[in-house]
Amino acid sequence: MAEPPVMSEIERRLWHAFPTGAWVELDEGVPLGPEPERTVRAEIIARLLLGARETEPGCVPAVRLRGAYVTGALDVSGGRVEPELQLDRCRLAERPVFANARTRQLRLNDCWMPGFDGGGLHVDGYLSLSGSIVDGSVRMPRAHLTGGLRLNNATVTENDPANWAVFTGGMVVDGGCFARKARITGGVRFTGARMNGGLFMEGATLANPGRIALEAQNMVVQDSAELSAGFTAIGTVRLRSARFDGVLSFSRAVLDSADPRRMALHASHMTCDELLLIPSEKIKGRVSLSYSRIALIRDLPQMWPDELYLNGLTYETLEGAEFRDRRHWVERDQQFHLQPYEQLASWYHGIGHDDLARKIQLAKLRTRRRRLNPVARAWNHLLDWTVGYGYRPWLAFAWFGVLLAVGTAVFSAHHPHVIKEPDERPHFHALVYTLDLLIPIDTFGQQEAFDPAGWSRWLAYALVATGWVLATALIAGTARVLRPN
C-alpha cells in the first residue's frame, strides 16, 4: 500500500519501519514542545495500527517510537489493533483514545499525556503506563487486560474533584495489577474490579485528602494484595464487601484519612484469608472491620487508631497482641455491642484459655454497665463486687468468710441473750450462730434460741441482710453465666 502523500521525514521513517517492528528513535528525553524534527501526527500512528500498511511475511509489525512529540488525538476507538504499540519517552498533545478497541499489547512508558481513555478496552497482552506522567484521568471502565496492568513509577494527577485520577468499574485484570511507587493524586477507583493475578502497590502514594484515596468496593483479588512497603494513602481506603483470596497486607504502610472524623480504612463486610495490619505508624482516622470474615488477623496494638468498629467481625486466629491489648482492642469500639466481646471470648475459649475468656466476658458486662440507668448500674456494681457477675463465684465465698470471722469474734465477746428454756435451746456457739445469721434458711436453730443485745444487734441485722444479698447475687450471677446468649 502506498504511503500517504504528505509526510515528514520522521513519519516516513516510522511508516517504513512498521512492517518489521523496528524502533524509530529520536533525541533522548521527552520533548517539551512540537519540535519539527521530532513531531509525528497521531493520525499516522492510528492508520498504521488499523492496517493501512501492508506487513511483510516472517515479521511482526509494530509501532515502536521513542522521543517523539505526537500531535492530534491518537484515536483507535472501536477498532481491532493487531500490531503492537510501544511509545517510549514521547509527549502526546491529546489524550489517546482506545475505547472499546481490541489490541495485542500497549506500552506507553515514560511518556507525558493529558489523560488516557480505555473504556471497554480489551488487551490480549498487557497495558503499561509505567513511568509516565498523566495530567488528567486514566479511564478504564469495563476494560479486560489479559496480560495485566502496569503503572509502576507512574504519576497521575487529576485536579478536578468531580473526576477520579484512575477510574475503572468492572475491570478484569488477569495478569496482575502493578502500581509500585506510583504517585496518584485524585483517587483510585477499582469498584467491582477482578484482579486475578493480584494487586501490587508497594511504595505507591494515593493522595485525595478528605476524600477517598482508594475506592475498591466489591473488588475481588486472587492471590496477594500488597498495599505495603511504603504504601501511603492520604484519604480513605474503602474495601467494603471486597474479597481477598490470599493476603491483604498493610505492612509498613501509612494510613491517614487527613480528617480524624473520616475513615482511614473502611473494610466492613470484607472476606480475607489473612490481614496484616502492621503500618509503619499509628493509623490516623477511624477503622471499620464490621461484619468482615477474616481467617487470620496480625496487627500491633501501638498502631491501632483511637476509634474502631468491630461489631460482626469474625476471625479464626489473632496474632500480634497480648490479652490486655486485646481487651483494650474491643473496648475501643465506639458503639458498644456484645458481639466483639463474645467473639474474642470464643476465640480464647477455642485455644484453651478459659480463664481469659471469662475475663473478656467480665469486661463486656463492666463496659455495658456504663450505659445503664442508675438503679441498674447500682445492681450491676453489686453483682460485680460480690460474685464478679457469676464469673468469680469465689468472691462470694471470700465475703462470706470475712463476715463469718467478724461475726464469730464479736459474738464470742458479746454473747446474745437466751430466749428459750434450757431444755429447748442448743448450746451456744459463736461460729455456728454467725453461720445461722448468714445462711438465709435457719439451719442450726441458733438464731431462734438467742437474741443479740446492744450494738451487736445491728451487726446481726447486717449479717442477715448480707447473707440474703450474697445468696441473691450468687444465684443471679450464676444464672447470667449459664443462660444461653
Side-chain angles (χ1 to χ4, degrees):
M1 183 178 295
E3 64 184 49
V6 179
M7 287 196 303
S8 67
E9 177 60 28
I10 300 169
E11 292 171 345
R12 188 172 291 108
R13 288 173 54 192
L14 184 63
W15 187 270
H16 291 289
F18 170 77
T20 61
W23 278 95
V24 175
E25 301 190 40
L26 306 176
D27 294 338
E28 291 293 326
V30 179
L32 299 178
E35 307 167 25
E37 65 278 7
R38 302 176 68 180
T39 299
V40 176
R41 286 173 293 170
E43 173 192 357
I44 301 298
I45 299 175
R47 291 183 64 179
L48 289 171
L49 293 176
L50 294 174
R53 177 77 162 88
E54 293 180 351
T55 61
E56 295 184 7
C59 296
V60 178
V63 174
R64 294 189 172 98
L65 183 61
R66 179 175 290 127
Y69 186 94
V70 180
T71 61
L74 176 55
D75 188 347
V76 295
S77 56
R80 185 175 184 88
V81 178
E82 294 294 340
E84 181 179 322
L85 173 64
Q86 296 186 42
L87 299 182
D88 189 3
R89 297 199 295 275
C90 292
R91 188 179 189 92
L92 287 75
E94 300 182 30
R95 68 172 183 172
V97 180
F98 291 85
N100 300 310
R102 178 151 193 162
T103 72
R104 288 181 57 201
Q105 188 157 280
L106 295 176
R107 291 193 288 181
L108 290 78
N109 294 338
D110 300 311
C111 294
W112 182 96
M113 65 194 78
F116 181 90
D117 187 355
L121 171 66
H122 190 118
V123 182
D124 291 332
Y126 63 83
L127 168 63
S128 175
L129 299 177
S130 292
S132 291
I133 298 174
V134 183
D135 286 340
S137 180
V138 175
R139 297 180 57 82
M140 290 182 289
R142 308 176 314 282
H144 189 166
L145 311 178
T146 303
L149 173 63
R150 300 182 183 180
L151 293 168
N152 298 323
N153 294 292
T155 301
V156 184
T157 305
E158 175 54 73
N159 294 317
D160 186 351
N163 296 327
W164 293 87
V166 177
F167 178 86
T168 74
M171 180 176 68
V172 178
V173 182
D174 292 327
C177 178
F178 299 85
R180 292 176 173 136
K181 297 184 179 180
R183 300 292 181 266
I184 303 176
T185 302
V188 175
R189 184 180 186 271
F190 283 157
T191 301
R194 290 189 64 91
M195 307 291 186
N196 296 328
L199 175 62
F200 304 93
M201 303 185 75
E202 297 97 323
T205 298
L206 311 183
N208 204 13
R211 299 169 65 87
I212 298 176
L214 175 60
E215 173 65 272
Q217 293 194 78
N218 300 300
M219 179 175 68
V220 177
V221 178
Q222 304 283 344
D223 206 340
S224 298
E226 291 290 342
L227 309 181
S228 59
F231 172 85
T232 301
I234 309 301
T236 299
V237 174
R238 181 182 288 174
L239 306 176
R240 192 178 190 275
S241 301
R243 192 183 85 204
F244 299 90
D245 296 335
V247 178
L248 169 59
S249 175
F250 290 97
S251 177
R252 295 185 290 117
V254 176
L255 298 175
D256 184 355
S257 67
D259 183 347
R261 298 168 298 178
R262 293 183 60 88
M263 290 284 181
L265 175 61
H266 189 179
S268 66
H269 302 82
M270 180 181 70
T271 302
C272 182
D273 288 345
E274 184 174 352
L275 172 62
L276 304 182
L277 194 55
I278 313 175
S280 58
E281 59 184 53
K282 183 177 179 179
I283 299 173
K284 298 180 179 67
R286 303 175 178 178
V287 171
S288 174
L289 298 175
S290 299
Y291 302 102
S292 290
R293 300 190 303 276
I294 305 173
L296 167 63
I297 299 177
R298 183 180 292 119
D299 54 5
L300 293 176
Q302 61 269 29
M303 301 305 174
W304 295 337
D306 296 329
E307 297 186 27
L308 286 168
Y309 296 87
L310 303 174
N311 186 40
L313 170 66
T314 59
Y315 43 82
E316 297 176 10
T317 305
L318 294 173
E319 294 182 2
E322 300 298 330
F323 167 76
R324 180 181 298 178
D325 298 318
R326 286 298 171 200
R327 187 185 65 196
H328 293 161
W329 184 55
V330 294
E331 289 174 350
R332 289 180 187 225
D333 197 321
Q334 296 305 295
Q335 300 174 346
F336 174 75
H337 297 282
L338 297 176
Q339 189 274 340
Y341 292 88
E342 296 291 347
Q343 170 67 31
L344 185 57
S346 176
W347 181 71
Y348 276 119
H349 177 74
I351 62 174
H353 289 290
D354 292 344
D355 55 331
L356 300 182
R358 287 192 294 270
K359 290 181 179 179
I360 293 298
Q361 295 281 13
L362 187 57
K364 173 193 70 177
L365 295 171
R366 287 172 174 170
T367 303
R368 177 177 174 270
R369 182 173 66 205
R370 295 195 289 266
R371 293 163 171 80
L372 300 176
N373 61 62
V375 175
R377 194 181 308 130
W379 172 244
N380 273 256
H381 273 295
L382 183 61
L383 287 177
D384 192 1
W385 294 337
T386 53
V387 292
Y389 289 100
Y391 293 103
R392 294 179 174 179
W394 55 267
L395 280 176
F397 295 103
W399 281 108
F400 191 89
V402 170
L403 294 173
L404 182 62
V406 171
T408 301
V410 170
F411 294 121
S412 295
H414 301 277
H415 285 205
H417 294 302
V418 177
I419 57 176
K420 279 191 175 183
E421 297 298 326
D423 56 347
E424 297 179 0
R425 68 174 184 264
H427 177 72
F428 175 76
H429 194 288
L431 174 64
V432 177
Y433 180 68
T434 305
L435 277 173
D436 228 359
L437 294 174
L438 285 171
I439 298 175
I441 301 174
D442 186 13
T443 305
F444 303 104
Q446 296 269 327
Q447 186 175 354
E448 295 181 354
F450 302 95
D451 185 27
W455 64 270
S456 63
R457 181 186 299 274
W458 296 105
L459 174 63
Y461 293 159
L463 291 175
V464 171
T466 304
W468 277 102
V469 169
L470 285 176
T472 303
L474 185 60
I475 294 171
T478 303
R480 181 190 296 272
V481 172
L482 297 178
R483 183 174 64 243
N485 293 325

